[in-house]
Amino acid sequence: MSNLNEQPIRSKAKALLSLHSWSGIVLGMLLYAVIFTGTVAVVSDEVGEWSNSNLNQQMLATQDVDSVLATLAAQTDRAYLEEISAYEDHRQNLVFFFHTHKQNPSGVMDEYGVQYKVNGQGEIVQQREGFGSDIYAQDDSYALSRFLVSIHTELHLPAPWGLILTGILGLAMLVAAVSGFMMHRHLFTDLFTIRKQRDGKPLKRDSHTVAGTWSIPFAILLAFTGSFFSFATAFGLPAMAVVAFGGDQEAMMHTLVGEQAHKSEAPQDSASINGMLADAIGNQSAVPTFIAISHWGTESASLTAFFMPTEGEVGFAQRVYDATNGEFVEYKPLVGTVPSAGSAIMSLIYPIHFGTFAGLMSKIIWISLGVASCYVTITGLQLYAFRNEKQATGWQWFSRMCVWGFTGLPLCSLSSALGFFVSGALQSNQSLWTPVSFLLAAAMVSLITLIIRSVRQLQLILLVANGALCLALPVIRYLTSGFGWIQAIEQGNVALMFIDAVLLLCGVWCFYRVYASNQAQESDHTATETVASEHLETLSGAAK
């Protein structure tokens, strides 16, 4: 009777194992790419400050925004005064974008106008006209952080295919996480149990189980929020425009952001922007990430100050002011015109997905869990490769592909940073050379993978290359910027020191892994020689 009961249980366990394995194997390498780049994307703002060797100067709080805005508006076409956005970039410039809205060549509603970059002395250092998406894509100050985030969100593929693929990968990760959770009949034991092999090394299968068990809640959370982002952008908003607004994207956006489609354009002097900013900063105890001014100089003028989650808060904050008299109007929901469950959920998804709700500390926790998820993906595919190699030698290509992906992607990402710094020093187009450097490194890694026959030697070479770049990048950053740790300590630039320190630690770890691998091989070689010598002595004694 007990055998009859155990048979369905074993059948279900086998089905769960199959579901768990195939959900990770079919898209495993792409899943690793999304998780790895997502771990980097968590600190995209810090990467931006590090790559430009600059600390945010809170210029919206320290500069005379009124004076600069009036000067720029006087020389800008009135058609672009419909909306003005302002923020500080990574090179200590205030960026003003005077724009209207219209469809870009892709048929998507976009912002179109003139962008000005103004330095701390109030001088225009750059002026561009065009669609907002195109202007941002050409902004060198965001070249590195923008490229790394693009790989995570879209795998750098054309819209909407990149978003669709990352959404599918998020679902695959969700399936793997949920099936992995259901497989753990001894959940609390699996949190801590790592058995030893005969040589004293941790059993890789147990290491995979422990890391996976600890990161299951994190994986489920990230998989769901990541899939939501991808599918909402690729399908949700276009479908909403077609179904609810008859294809009118502009009307849809007006409803989503809570702005009336038709406003009075009768001229009227606007209140002090500086005064509204001071009130917003005082109430939020933070400087807004950006501000949006609608219909400036008319009787419909308004200002919205957007704040990232402050310490102790999870959601975003938006304060709206009547720009004709400077009075505070309301806390605006992220979506729509009135508070709602949907708006609350939307405001929570981004901070939870990227770990921005408690500053650098929450980001460090998210990075650690991201690294654990990367390890789970790596060990899962390695276990699958090892199991199949024992059954058929033809599966050696799978181990080679794992080494190519697991060590090649970090090397290519580091190479993109190298391209960013070198092209900047040569005053070349950083927005071009950052992705080109990634592609050149990918081609080189692929060539090396095809040439070198030994999988172990291939792994060691790529580890050395990763370690060398990790150690070199902080030095190259310093040589190209002249900004070192002494200046960083004086300015309180924690982001720069954090990224430098992480790179140096990763470089040391890579060389340690090479050293440990060589030591293990020498130990195995010595043990083999000892066994052979003892065997010969035994045979010699028997012959005598």
Side-chain angles (χ1 to χ4, degrees):
M1 189 72 176
S2 60
N3 290 335
L4 293 175
N5 292 332
E6 287 179 4
Q7 189 172 359
I9 294 175
R10 289 178 180 176
S11 178
K12 290 179 181 179
K14 187 176 181 180
L16 278 174
L17 178 61
S18 178
L19 178 65
H20 178 75
S21 299
W22 282 107
S23 62
I25 291 163
V26 173
L27 298 170
M29 197 58 67
L30 288 175
L31 187 60
Y32 166 75
V34 171
I35 296 173
F36 174 81
T37 53
T39 304
V40 177
V42 167
V43 287
S44 60
D45 289 336
E46 286 76 9
V47 168
E49 293 183 6
W50 170 78
S51 60
N52 292 281
S53 296
N54 276 322
L55 178 67
N56 190 292
Q57 299 297 305
Q58 316 286 359
M59 294 179 72
L60 284 174
T62 59
Q63 299 296 305
D64 186 356
V65 179
D66 280 314
S67 175
V68 176
L69 189 63
T71 301
L72 297 176
Q75 65 186 63
T76 304
D77 189 331
R78 290 198 59 82
Y80 299 147
L81 298 183
E82 177 185 330
E83 189 168 321
I84 308 163
S85 59
Y87 60 92
E88 179 182 348
D89 71 3
H90 286 310
R91 292 183 178 170
Q92 298 177 355
N93 298 309
L94 269 180
V95 181
F96 292 87
F97 188 31
F98 293 74
H99 61 272
T100 184
H101 299 84
K102 62 181 183 180
Q103 288 188 348
N104 61 25
S106 301
V108 178
M109 284 303 299
D110 203 347
E111 300 167 340
Y112 186 90
V114 181
Q115 184 197 76
Y116 301 95
K117 287 194 174 185
V118 181
N119 62 19
Q121 290 72 46
E123 302 167 340
I124 299 174
V125 295
Q126 189 179 82
Q127 178 177 338
R128 284 178 174 169
E129 182 173 355
F131 285 104
S133 56
D134 294 334
I135 292 174
Y136 177 69
Q138 299 166 12
D139 191 336
D140 283 351
S141 64
Y142 294 94
L144 182 59
S145 56
R146 180 181 64 238
F147 174 69
L148 295 175
V149 170
S150 175
I151 296 178
H152 172 63
T153 57
E154 305 164 31
L155 292 172
H156 218 58
L157 296 174
W161 306 111
L163 290 170
I164 293 172
L165 182 54
T166 54
I168 293 171
L169 291 170
L171 292 179
M173 183 176 178
L174 187 62
V175 169
V178 172
S179 58
F181 174 77
M182 295 175 67
M183 285 166 54
H184 292 310
R185 288 180 295 173
H186 308 290
L187 184 62
F188 292 102
T189 304
D190 289 339
L191 286 171
F192 306 101
T193 303
I194 300 181
R195 294 167 293 179
K196 299 289 186 180
Q197 302 179 66
R198 291 181 179 178
D199 58 2
K201 295 179 181 178
L203 193 65
K204 184 166 287 188
R205 184 178 59 193
D206 284 354
S207 300
H208 172 80
T209 301
V210 169
T213 305
W214 277 102
S215 60
I216 278 175
F218 176 74
I220 293 174
L221 187 66
L222 289 197
F224 173 77
T225 55
S227 295
F228 178 88
F229 273 131
S230 296
F231 288 131
T233 306
F235 296 118
L237 293 179
M240 187 187 302
V242 172
V243 175
F245 298 92
D248 190 339
Q249 296 184 43
E250 186 172 3
M252 179 193 70
M253 293 309 298
H254 278 300
T255 302
L256 287 178
V257 301
E259 184 182 354
Q260 296 176 3
H262 303 287
K263 290 194 172 186
S264 171
E265 296 296 330
Q268 180 175 337
D269 290 340
S270 294
S272 169
I273 304 296
N274 292 335
M276 289 181 277
L277 281 173
D279 181 77
I281 293 168
N283 280 278
Q284 291 295 133
S285 300
V287 177
T289 305
F290 70 87
I291 60 172
I293 308 166
S294 297
H295 305 279
W296 188 74
T298 73
E299 63 181 19
S300 300
S302 66
L303 179 144
T304 302
F306 182 89
F307 295 84
M308 292 292 287
T310 54
E311 188 172 349
E313 299 290 334
V314 178
F316 299 112
Q318 295 186 100
R319 292 179 62 88
V320 180
Y321 290 83
D322 183 338
T324 61
N325 54 28
E327 293 182 357
F328 172 72
V329 177
E330 63 175 342
Y331 279 99
K332 182 184 174 302
L334 190 64
V335 177
T337 57
V338 295
S340 64
S343 178
I345 292 171
M346 281 292 295
S347 67
L348 293 176
I349 283 180
Y350 179 91
I352 290 176
H353 186 73
F354 288 101
T356 60
F357 52 86
L360 188 59
M361 183 55 66
S362 61
K363 291 185 177 185
I364 291 174
I365 295 172
W366 253 232
I367 290 171
S368 302
L369 292 170
V371 171
S373 298
C374 286
Y375 178 78
V376 172
T377 308
I378 292 170
T379 52
L381 288 177
Q382 286 178 337
L383 286 169
Y384 185 80
F386 179 72
R387 184 164 58 247
N388 283 277
E389 279 179 13
K390 289 197 301 182
Q391 299 172 0
T393 55
W395 272 87
Q396 289 182 353
W397 65 269
F398 194 79
S399 293
R400 183 176 296 273
M401 187 188 74
C402 288
V403 173
W404 168 78
F406 297 148
T407 54
L409 179 60
L411 181 59
C412 294
S413 301
L414 293 169
S415 298
S416 67
L418 178 64
F420 175 88
F421 289 124
V422 173
S423 59
L426 297 176
Q427 297 184 342
S428 186
N429 188 340
Q430 291 174 292
S431 296
L432 170 66
W433 283 106
T434 298
V436 167
S437 300
F438 182 96
L439 293 175
L440 291 174
M444 186 174 296
V445 170
S446 300
L447 182 62
I448 293 173
T449 303
L450 292 173
I451 292 175
I452 298 176
R453 299 182 63 85
S454 169
V455 174
R456 178 183 175 277
Q457 187 179 5
L458 171 65
Q459 186 174 27
L460 293 181
I461 289 173
L462 293 180
L463 275 174
V464 168
N466 274 284
L469 270 182
C470 282
L471 297 178
L473 280 176
V475 178
I476 294 171
R477 182 204 58 76
Y478 171 72
L479 293 175
T480 55
S481 67
F483 192 91
W485 276 37
I486 295 177
Q487 295 94 323
I489 293 171
E490 291 174 349
Q491 290 189 8
N493 195 335
V494 178
L496 183 143
M497 294 185 288
F498 173 74
I499 301 296
D500 270 357
V502 168
L503 285 171
L504 293 173
L505 286 173
C506 289
V508 171
W509 180 85
C510 286
F511 282 106
Y512 169 76
R513 290 297 303 164
V514 172
Y515 170 78
S517 178
N518 287 332
Q519 289 295 108
Q521 187 183 39
E522 290 180 7
S523 177
D524 292 342
H525 184 65
T526 302
T528 302
E529 288 184 344
T530 302
V531 171
S533 176
E534 291 175 352
H535 183 63
L536 287 174
E537 289 179 1
T538 302
L539 291 176
S540 176
K544 291 179 180 180

